[in-house]
Amino acid sequence: MQRIIQINIAGRIIPIEEDAYIVLKDYLNALESSFAGEDGREEIIQDIENRIAELFTIRLQTGSPAIDRSDVQKVIDTLGPASELHGNASGNTNNANTGNSYQRGNTYSGYSSQQQNYQRNQPPPFNYTHDRLLRNPYDKMIGGVCSGIAHYFGIDPMIIRLLAVISFLTFGVGFVAYIIAWIVIPAARTREELYNTNGGNPVTFHDITRNVGEELTDLKRRGEAMSRELRDFFSKKK
Amino acid sequence: MKFVKFQQTRYYALHNTIFYLPLFCKRSGMNVDNTESQMRKGLLELCILGIIQRQKEAYPSDILEQLKGAKLVVLEGTLYPLLTRLKNAGMLGYRWEESVSGPPRKYFTLTETGAKFYEQLRTTWDELSQAVNNLTVPLL
């Protein structure tokens, strides 16, 4: 069973199945991060969204009630994986060794999709599934630093969290270190990115300032939600 | 003892280099696919400008059709960053036009700078293709 939701893409209302939507959303996120630091980023994404809308409209005109996952996959295949679209006009020699970006639609199986990508380009030089250290926004208490670190080392985030809490309490240094890590380590924009070996872009100062802004608003939002929950909790008790 | 150790390390170093040599070659772009795609990539701007110049006005999907027909573009998404870069460099202007069947279209036109740029590229290409043909034609 599939729930059908409606999205507005480039001013068109498109009915789309829910899991197809997730695939599409992840693809657009991957595009955003691969064009990060590019001047006309918003415009490029807008143009691509336009094209996606156009392709979807064509698909819907052929009598399909809603866009499903295979349709989205087809569109992604025609447009190309996010990391390969960024090639500079000046013809940079940065060859396809970063082809392991967005490929198949599976949001979780990062490792298997890496295999497929490598088949296309070249075998991995060493079989080294070394993740990039990224904050994990999909599982976070404060800033996702601990769960990012845990993901990096492949251990339970709770262990790192406990260590962090201990270091907060004993020295206070941990707190400062946490804040710095929070600022410096970039967040993963998609789930795929967490599993990527060498994906992502180098972090610039601009990124860092923007990240701090985003994180603060997010923290504020979640703080408010938490205080609301606490209030509810206590008012129930009375 | 020390001497033996030295020899051992050298042996391993050599072994490693030979073992990974094919990979290094690929890494540095030494395969046909990569060279071909670099060639195409280099000519893409010229072709985009050419298409727009010839038709006076063109929208992305139309340009895509033609580029795909000529096998110059495989992944559609590569066109959009290029168009935006050309536009931001003042080579292209555009206007929006509503379309009956889909989202509004961006019709691109050449600006004066763009036209000049295109002429230059075009001349260079003529000279270049002539020269390349001369260089690669089998000697009689």
Side-chain angles (χ1 to χ4, degrees), chain B residues 15-34:
Chain B
H15 168 260
N16 277 349
T17 324
I18 291 172
F19 188 73
Y20 292 114
L21 206 57
L23 286 174
F24 290 150
C25 289
K26 273 191 178 171
R27 268 278 154 98
S28 55
M30 272 307 174
N31 57 17
V32 177
D33 281 351
N34 197 41

Side-chain angles (χ1 to χ4, degrees), chain A residues 12-29:
Chain A
R12 297 261 121 184
I13 310 292
I14 305 277
I16 184 170
E17 286 180 2
E18 202 168 18
D19 67 342
Y21 166 74
I22 294 169
V23 176
L24 181 67
K25 183 78 198 152
D26 264 14
Y27 179 65
L28 289 174
N29 280 343

Side-chain angles (χ1 to χ4, degrees), chain B:
Chain B
M1 276 305 272
K2 263 185 182 170
F3 181 67
V4 175
K5 214 175 178 182
F6 171 63
Q7 269 205 327
Q8 260 186 351
T9 35
R10 205 174 56 166
Y11 166 73
Y12 279 120
L14 191 67
H15 168 260
N16 277 349
T17 324
I18 291 172
F19 188 73
Y20 292 114
L21 206 57
L23 286 174
F24 290 150
C25 289
K26 273 191 178 171
R27 268 278 154 98
S28 55
M30 272 307 174
N31 57 17
V32 177
D33 281 351
N34 197 41
T35 311
E36 276 177 357
S37 86
Q38 293 294 330
M39 281 166 128
R40 292 204 173 98
K41 214 186 260 176
L43 291 172
L44 213 49
E45 283 172 321
L46 170 65
C47 295
I48 293 170
L49 293 173
I51 291 170
I52 297 173
Q53 199 255 2
R54 201 164 57 175
Q55 303 186 346
K56 303 280 184 280
E57 258 190 338
Y59 67 98
S61 308
D62 184 22
I63 301 175
L64 267 179
E65 277 311 305
Q66 303 192 31
L67 289 178
K68 282 169 106 178
K71 289 192 180 159
L72 273 158
V73 161
V74 189
L75 300 174
E76 289 195 354
T78 46
L79 177 71
Y80 299 99
L82 262 180
L83 281 175
T84 305
R85 275 179 210 134
L86 285 170
K87 194 209 77 189
N88 289 345
M91 308 283 174
L92 297 178
Y94 71 91
R95 64 179 177 84
W96 285 103
E97 193 175 292
E98 288 298 323
S99 128
V100 208
S101 56
R105 292 163 171 177
K106 240 182 192 176
Y107 274 89
F108 284 97
T109 44
L110 281 191
T111 60
E112 248 174 68
T113 351
K116 271 185 207 147
F117 186 69
Y118 171 67
E119 283 312 318
Q120 272 182 3
L121 283 185
R122 181 70 231 201
T123 328
T124 314
W125 167 245
D126 284 341
E127 288 165 9
L128 197 65
S129 64
Q130 190 68 43
V132 171
N133 283 339
N134 285 344
L135 283 176
T136 51
V137 82
L139 294 172
L140 288 176

Side-chain angles (χ1 to χ4, degrees), chain A residues 34-42 44 86 88, chain B residues 81-82 84-85 88:
Chain A
S34 92
F35 285 114
E38 169 100 27
D39 266 349
R41 174 168 77 139
E42 264 120 63
I44 296 169
H86 193 240
N88 266 328
Chain B
L82 262 180
T84 305
R85 275 179 210 134
N88 289 345

